[in-house]
Amino acid sequence: MKEWMLSKHKTITGKISWSMGWGIQATKPNSSIWHWGSNPGYRSYTVGYPEEDLGIVVLSNNEKLFEGIEPLILHTIGGTLPSYHWF
C-alpha cells in the first residue's frame, strides 16, 4: 500500500507529480513527498524524504510570514523544494 500511495500517478511538471494524496517532487538524492494547504489567513506546507526518514511541517496563521519561511526549511532539512514555488 505504501509503495502505491507514494508512486507517481499524474505528472504535473518535469519535477512535480501527484500520487494518492501526496505530491512527489524530483529532489536529490531521492524523491520527496509534499503537501500544502491554504485558507484565508492560513498556510501549511509539509515535505518529507521517505528514504531518509526526514521531514518538516510548517503551519502559519500569517500568509506574509509564510512567504519567507523557505530559508528556514532549507536550513533545517536541506534539499530543493520545486513544489514550494509551484503552489
Side-chain angles (χ1 to χ4, degrees), residues 11 14-15 21 27 44 46 49 63 67 72 79:
T11 300
K15 293 188 174 189
T27 52
S44 65
T46 184
Y49 295 83
E63 291 182 27
E67 292 172 6
L72 175 65

Side-chain angles (χ1 to χ4, degrees), residues 13-83:
T13 70
K15 293 188 174 189
I16 299 172
S17 302
W18 286 119
S19 67
M20 301 304 290
W22 286 95
I24 300 175
Q25 55 189 354
T27 52
K28 295 180 181 179
N30 299 302
S31 293
S32 59
I33 58 173
W34 61 277
H35 201 285
W36 59 272
S38 179
N39 284 308
Y42 301 91
R43 301 285 297 267
S44 65
Y45 180 74
T46 184
V47 62
Y49 295 83
E51 296 291 323
E52 290 84 1
D53 283 335
L54 179 69
I56 190 168
V57 175
V58 177
L59 304 172
S60 174
N61 62 355
N62 181 321
E63 291 182 27
K64 295 293 182 191
L65 175 67
F66 195 83
E67 292 172 6
I69 207 77
E70 183 181 17
L72 175 65
I73 297 171
L74 295 175
H75 180 74
T76 304
I77 63 171
T80 58
L81 306 170
S83 61

